[in-house]
Amino acid sequence: MASWPGSLLRAAAPTRGYAVLCGVVAVVTGALFVVFVTGAGGALVGQNVSNIALFLAALTAGTACVARAGRTRNRTRIRWAWALAGAGALSWAVGQVFCIWYETVQGKEVPFPSPADAGYFWMMPFTAAGLLLLPVSRQSIAQQARSILDGLMIAASLLLIAWVLILGPLVRQGADSALGLLVTLWYPGGDIVVLTIVLFIIARLRRGGRRPMSLPLVGAGLVAFTVSDSGYAYLTLVDSYGSGNVLDMGWFAGFALLLLAARRPEPAYAEQGSGSLTQPLGVMLPYLAVLGALFTSTFEVLRHGAHDPVVSWSRSAIILLIVGRQLLTLLENRSLTRGLEARVEARTAELRASEQRFQALVQHSSDVVTVIDADGIVTYQSESINRVFGYDPATFAGTRLTERMLPDSASGLLAAIEAITGTAYATRVIELPMRHADGHRCLAEVTITNLLQDASVRGIVLNSRDISERKELEDQLVHEAFHDGLTKLANRALFKDRLEVALRRGEDVAILFLDLDGFKEVNDSLGHAAGDVLLMHVAMRLGEAVRDEDTVARFGGDEFAVLIDAVGAPEDAEELATRIIAALDEPFVVDNTEIHVQGSIGIALTGSDARDADQLMRNADLAMYRAKSAGSGQFARYDPQMHSGLVERLQLAADLRRALEAGDELEMRYQPTIELRTGAIVGFEALVRWRHPVRGMISPADFIPLAESTGLIRPLGQWVLAESCRQAVTWGFDRPDRPMSMAVNVSGVQFDQPDLPQIVASVLAATGLPAQRLCLEMTESVLMTDTEENLAVLLSLKDIGVRLAIDDFGTGYSSLSYLRRFPVDTLKIDRSFVERLSGAAPDAALARTIVQLGQSLGMATVAEGIEEYAQFLALRRMGCDLAQGYYFSRPLPAAEATRLLKDPAVLAA
């Protein structure tokens, strides 16, 4: 019992059932100990109790080990280790059966050697084989060599100790026969071999990892076996051993510990970390064994004055093993030192290269890096300031930065620095006007970071960049977002914004909606270029007719609006309408052609029937339709009786619904898309037309908004998509030898359909057109309205494989961030930018900017509305990819487009 530490019992009780087992084993062991010490019942009772208890202990331990092997899955070596350990215990139990037969059944003394010894003999080989099968962590060649030396040191030391204490005296004592002496020596010798294996495995596992077996319990059991086997060997030689001796407790304790190891729950040791295996005891095991051997042999020499050759040779072998291990350790340390030196040198070179790379990046960065101390003195200035702002960096070192800046910029910088000074690593981004070295003003974006607490910087870091060009482009895009690109008037968004501001101020305002009469005929007869010139002349006359404080806007097409702030009386609005109509009475001269157009004007004033901007604009729209129905050159003021105009729009919506159901009034036109570099046709844009049986050809500018407002745009869009795809397949766009695409406009209302991708996929499947041959065009408003929902729809469309394009790019108000975020393939340059490429003073800046923007984002660019050779040539020089316009071809019916595909020379002519 003394060899059974309480710590092992505590460590071996991770579950309640296992704790109960430990308690039962402890009680039984204690009871046997009392019986053997006190001799209760006499020698015969002690003998029988010992024989039966040892048999049951061996049988129970062996059965538990075999059962543990059966429960072990996916770990073959561990399963065999438990199985062999169980076989060893069962072999010992068989030997104990013979002992019971001799002593308990026949009442005879067990002869020596006997068949019982044959059973006892095989326990240690089986156990040793099982322990050697235990898996250990992978090791390098040097580690394996060191482990082997450790094992040999342990084996030689234990052999020396065993020879001095046990084996030597046994050999000198002699035996009745050589076989008896061999069997006698086998018991302690086998125990020492197995114990050596346990210590060797512990030494190999000292670097950490999972324990495949509860080695402390198994090792403690083997120690108990060694004590009993050694005592048995000695007492047998002196013929004084008898069953029921206290010596039998060692065997019983060994089997009890093996039972506890086999029954120990899996998580208790399978999840062992490296903590217990990295203790100094594991590392020092070989040396502890050597110290034990040295102490034992020294004691032997002191006691007898000399020692036999076995002790001498053993000590010499141990010394050689120690020398070999130290040489191996020295070689390992030298290799490790060289490896560490190489790693340090490589790391130093890497840090040096990183430092040089960082310095080069800072010096040649597009950002200007400036470091100032807490007093604002420049402690570092990057050389990039010469490239960005034109200053010599040497002139800034040691100066106060604010003294080199404009007064307003200096105060703004100081305020920003003061705001972040109290917080380490805080940042602030500000925009400051700067003066370039050549004298011109520019705008800088400065990112200020508080690194005063950073030991490697000890300052405030300013990263500055010149954003003048970006700001100018943003201002231009903002201007384009709120102004009509053709006439430079306010657009609908700006008009509505100013109207809402006036209404919030509580002012009485009036608005006039103007629609030109006969403008479509001008476009059809003279072309869109002439129509655009006419629109610019109309805008000029409207501006001359109104007051300076009034707002004139163009909503699109031939629709204009006027906002009159602080209107005095209704007659003032009517007087302005009269002046506008009179101004339009004067003929317009366009391309040496005299043109006469009139305007229909609707007037709406604030009042009980118009309390917000939408109501007021709706009223003006209704009044405009009333004026148009009265004839050209008329105006009408809204009154509540004008719902008849709304009824007319409802009638038009009903006619459009009927036309969709019948399908014989809607017609398709196809305008070719030309590759500017080669002049080849690469596709068509599909355009829908409505030929009303009574009203004639209705402009898409009239029925498309009506379809959007009534929801008819969904079936209309699906019909256009199906017709276009079917026509594309008819033209052979599905063939690999004709890589052309069909572009179809998709209204923003259609993106409200969550099943739009499914509709597109079904149309492609029904017509057989490959998805990559279809391009869906949308306006910029799609990018800004319901962004997350529209993004999901666009991503679904991209998953199908169709291409996406932004139509009339530059006239909306989408930001560059949206362009990066949305999966757009093509930008279509609005015709208003193309128009600026011709005339007396061509302006190509915005068109070139959009082309470069598309190139930088990896998008193709398509120019719309090319009607002159100068525009074609300028766009091709800019690197624009594709183009459309009357210069190449007007929108064509399918039959004429078919002839154009068959004979592209017609296009070239």
Side-chain angles (χ1 to χ4, degrees):
M1 289 292 291
S3 63
W4 208 346
S7 60
L8 289 178
L9 288 175
R10 290 192 297 271
T15 64
R16 183 176 179 181
Y18 187 72
V20 172
L21 176 63
C22 293
V24 171
V25 169
V27 170
V28 172
T29 304
L32 287 176
F33 182 78
V34 171
V35 170
F36 292 156
V37 171
T38 61
L44 182 61
V45 172
Q47 181 185 55
N48 294 331
V49 169
S50 175
N51 289 336
I52 295 174
L54 290 178
F55 169 74
L56 292 177
L59 180 64
T60 304
T63 304
C65 291
V66 173
R68 181 58 176 271
R71 294 196 308 271
T72 303
R73 305 296 180 188
N74 302 323
R75 289 179 291 178
T76 304
R77 299 187 63 173
I78 298 178
R79 183 166 63 249
W80 276 104
W82 281 114
L84 289 172
L90 293 176
S91 173
W92 203 96
V94 171
Q96 187 64 20
V97 169
F98 286 102
C99 183
I100 293 174
W101 172 258
Y102 281 113
E103 292 187 343
T104 303
V105 177
Q106 295 185 353
K108 298 180 180 179
E109 183 179 352
V110 180
F112 182 80
S114 71
D117 294 304
Y120 300 149
F121 178 88
W122 288 104
M123 178 178 175
M124 290 308 166
F126 280 131
T127 304
L131 291 174
L132 289 175
L133 284 177
L134 288 177
V136 293
S137 59
R138 293 182 179 180
Q139 295 179 325
S140 63
I141 296 178
Q143 291 173 337
Q144 291 177 0
R146 185 173 60 249
S147 297
I148 293 174
L149 290 176
D150 288 346
L152 293 175
M153 288 170 60
I154 294 173
S157 300
L158 292 181
L159 177 62
L160 178 59
I161 295 172
W163 178 263
V164 171
L165 298 180
I166 302 172
L167 300 180
L170 289 178
V171 171
R172 288 191 293 271
Q173 180 70 27
D176 296 338
S177 65
L179 178 61
L181 179 62
L182 180 63
V183 172
T184 301
L185 296 177
W186 170 256
Y187 290 119
D191 293 337
I192 291 173
V193 170
V194 177
L195 187 60
T196 301
I197 294 174
V198 172
L199 296 178
F200 175 72
I201 293 176
I202 292 177
R204 287 201 64 179
L205 290 177
R206 66 176 180 267
R207 294 187 179 272
R210 292 165 50 172
R211 293 183 184 179
M213 184 179 283
S214 183
L215 294 177
L217 289 175
V218 175
L222 291 174
V223 169
F225 257 91
T226 302
V227 172
S228 292
D229 283 345
S230 300
Y232 169 76
Y234 178 76
L235 294 178
T236 299
L237 287 178
V238 299
D239 198 21
S240 63
Y241 173 75
S243 297
N245 197 304
V246 177
L247 191 66
D248 296 349
M249 286 302 303
W251 291 315
F252 185 85
F255 285 121
L257 290 172
L258 184 61
L259 170 65
L260 294 179
R263 295 295 299 171
R264 189 174 186 180
E266 179 77 15
Y269 62 84
E271 297 178 359
Q272 286 257 18
S274 60
S276 62
L277 295 177
T278 56
Q279 299 298 324
L281 179 61
V283 180
M284 295 299 296
L285 275 177
Y287 299 101
L288 292 177
V290 169
L291 289 176
L294 177 63
F295 175 80
T296 304
S297 61
T298 302
F299 178 78
E300 178 71 7
V301 171
L302 293 176
R303 188 177 65 172
H304 298 289
H307 48 74
D308 57 30
V310 174
V311 174
S312 299
W313 283 105
S314 298
R315 294 183 66 173
S316 300
I318 291 173
I319 293 173
L320 290 176
L321 290 173
I322 293 175
V323 172
R325 195 187 189 286
Q326 292 304 112
L327 288 176
L328 181 62
T329 303
L330 178 61
L331 293 176
E332 270 193 301
N333 289 339
R334 290 187 61 185
S335 176
L336 179 62
T337 301
R338 287 195 297 268
L340 290 176
E341 291 175 351
R343 290 177 60 185
V344 169
E345 291 178 359
R347 182 58 177 165
T348 302
E350 181 182 349
L351 292 175
R352 187 181 300 112
S354 176
E355 180 182 358
Q356 293 174 351
R357 181 169 59 252
F358 175 75
Q359 183 177 4
L361 289 174
V362 171
Q363 295 298 335
H364 300 283
S365 171
S366 59
D367 285 1
V368 177
V369 180
T370 307
V371 182
I372 61 176
D373 60 16
D375 298 325
I377 304 300
V378 177
T379 59
Y380 173 79
Q381 179 61 66
S382 66
E383 295 181 2
S384 54
I385 192 173
N386 180 267
R387 184 175 61 259
V388 177
F389 296 113
Y391 293 101
D392 183 1
T395 61
F396 276 77
T399 64
R400 192 176 300 276
L401 181 61
T402 54
E403 296 176 355
R404 308 296 300 270
M405 303 174 64
L406 298 172
D408 293 343
S409 300
S411 60
L413 178 64
L414 290 175
I417 292 175
E418 183 179 357
I420 66 170
T421 300
T423 305
Y425 302 101
T427 61
R428 180 70 61 90
V429 180
I430 60 175
E431 293 182 0
L432 298 174
M434 305 285 289
R435 187 177 299 280
H436 195 276
D438 61 11
H440 78 272
R441 291 171 66 93
C442 54
L443 186 64
E445 181 183 80
V446 183
T447 302
I448 309 170
T449 306
N450 180 9
L451 297 182
L452 290 170
Q453 306 302 321
D454 193 313
S456 60
V457 179
R458 297 292 186 186
I460 296 175
V461 181
L462 286 73
N463 293 82
S464 308
R465 61 185 63 88
D466 187 356
I467 61 170
S468 301
E469 293 184 1
R470 190 188 78 185
K471 198 68 176 179
E472 182 179 354
L473 177 59
E474 289 179 356
D475 293 341
Q476 289 178 344
L477 291 177
V478 169
H479 183 272
E480 294 295 336
F482 290 100
H483 290 81
D484 177 57
L486 176 65
T487 63
K488 309 304 179 186
L489 298 176
N491 62 10
R492 182 185 293 271
L494 181 56
F495 181 88
K496 185 177 180 181
D497 180 71
R498 292 184 179 178
L499 176 58
E500 290 175 342
V501 171
L503 292 177
R504 284 197 297 268
R505 291 200 300 258
E507 297 178 356
D508 291 330
V509 299
I511 60 174
L512 283 67
F513 274 18
L514 168 67
D515 185 82
L516 295 181
D517 301 322
F519 179 73
K520 181 180 180 300
E521 288 73 12
V522 174
N523 270 343
D524 291 342
S525 59
L526 301 180
H528 288 288
D532 290 343
V533 173
L534 175 60
L535 291 175
M536 288 188 288
H537 287 313
V538 170
M540 292 176 59
R541 294 192 185 182
L542 289 176
E544 295 170 354
V546 302
R547 302 174 303 178
D548 292 339
E549 61 269 23
D550 297 334
T551 299
V552 181
R554 180 186 174 223
F555 285 178
D558 58 347
E559 294 183 359
F560 294 85
V562 179
L563 170 62
I564 307 175
D565 288 331
V567 64
E571 292 75 16
D572 294 339
E574 295 177 359
E575 180 182 350
L576 175 58
T578 302
R579 290 202 308 271
I580 292 175
I581 292 175
L584 296 179
D585 278 339
E586 296 294 327
F588 297 91
V589 179
V590 178
D591 293 339
N592 298 322
T593 302
E594 192 173 88
I595 300 175
H596 293 270
V597 294
Q598 288 290 341
S600 298
I601 301 176
I603 304 172
L605 293 90
T606 52
S608 58
D609 55 352
R611 299 185 181 276
D612 57 37
D614 290 330
Q615 288 182 338
L616 197 60
M617 294 173 69
R618 183 190 61 193
N619 292 347
D621 194 37
L622 291 174
M624 185 267 293
Y625 278 103
R626 169 62 64 85
K628 185 178 287 291
S629 63
S632 299
Q634 302 293 322
F635 69 83
R637 196 173 75 189
Y638 174 80
D639 65 70
Q641 302 299 322
M642 286 186 176
H643 285 291
S644 59
L646 180 60
V647 173
E648 183 179 355
R649 288 174 59 85
L650 293 176
Q651 181 61 49
L652 188 62
D655 293 343
L656 180 58
R657 184 176 288 106
R658 175 184 50 76
L660 285 170
E661 293 173 355
D664 56 352
E665 298 178 17
L666 297 176
E667 303 174 1
M668 294 301 301
R669 297 288 187 271
Y670 301 95
Q671 188 171 28
T673 302
I674 310 300
E675 185 177 19
L676 285 175
R677 182 176 57 85
T678 62
I681 299 175
V682 296
F684 286 88
E685 179 180 3
L687 304 170
V688 64
R689 298 290 185 263
W690 182 17
R691 190 179 300 278
H692 195 278
V694 177
R695 304 186 184 190
M697 189 66 76
I698 299 179
S699 171
D702 294 331
F703 73 84
I704 292 297
L706 178 64
E708 290 179 336
S709 63
T710 58
L712 294 175
I713 192 66
R714 297 177 180 176
L716 176 61
Q718 188 169 350
W719 181 86
V720 170
L721 180 64
E723 285 295 310
S724 305
C725 293
R726 181 190 59 78
Q727 185 62 54
V729 173
T730 302
W731 284 334
F733 288 9
D734 57 333
R735 301 201 311 265
D737 60 339
R738 179 163 282 187
M740 296 186 179
S741 62
M742 178 66 71
V744 180
N745 290 284
V746 181
S747 169
V749 178
Q750 291 177 264
F751 279 89
D752 294 335
Q753 296 176 261
D755 59 345
L756 177 60
Q758 289 78 10
I759 292 174
V760 173
S762 63
V763 170
L764 291 173
T767 60
L769 180 67
Q772 65 270 20
R773 301 298 175 83
L774 176 63
C775 179
L776 300 181
E777 297 184 1
M778 74 205 85
T779 61
E780 290 180 274
S781 60
V782 173
L783 304 184
M784 297 297 294
T785 307
D786 296 330
T787 302
E788 296 301 329
E789 291 77 5
N790 288 345
L791 176 59
V793 173
L794 292 175
L795 291 175
S796 299
L797 291 172
K798 288 299 293 182
D799 290 339
I800 296 173
V802 302
R803 295 188 293 121
L804 302 175
I806 299 179
D807 199 8
D808 300 332
F809 180 74
T811 60
Y813 44 90
S814 63
S815 65
L816 299 181
S817 62
Y818 283 103
L819 288 182
R820 290 186 177 274
R821 185 181 181 192
F822 284 83
V824 178
D825 302 292
T826 305
L827 297 180
K828 299 195 71 173
I829 305 173
D830 186 66
R831 61 186 303 112
S832 60
F833 300 132
V834 176
E835 292 161 358
R836 303 178 186 184
L837 302 178
S838 61
D843 182 6
L846 289 178
R848 181 180 295 106
T849 299
I850 295 176
V851 171
Q852 294 174 351
L853 178 63
Q855 292 173 347
S856 65
L857 296 177
M859 301 178 184
T861 50
V862 182
E864 297 182 297
I866 297 181
E867 300 191 4
E868 298 179 7
Y869 175 74
Q871 299 169 349
F872 160 75
L873 186 60
L875 287 166
R876 187 168 67 177
R877 288 174 176 172
M878 290 178 193
C880 183
D881 303 303
L882 309 171
Q884 293 175 321
Y886 272 54
Y887 177 75
F888 306 106
S889 173
R890 61 183 176 83
L892 302 173
E896 295 184 30
T898 302
R899 289 195 294 271
L900 181 63
L901 279 174
K902 292 180 179 180
D903 186 13
V906 176
L907 179 65

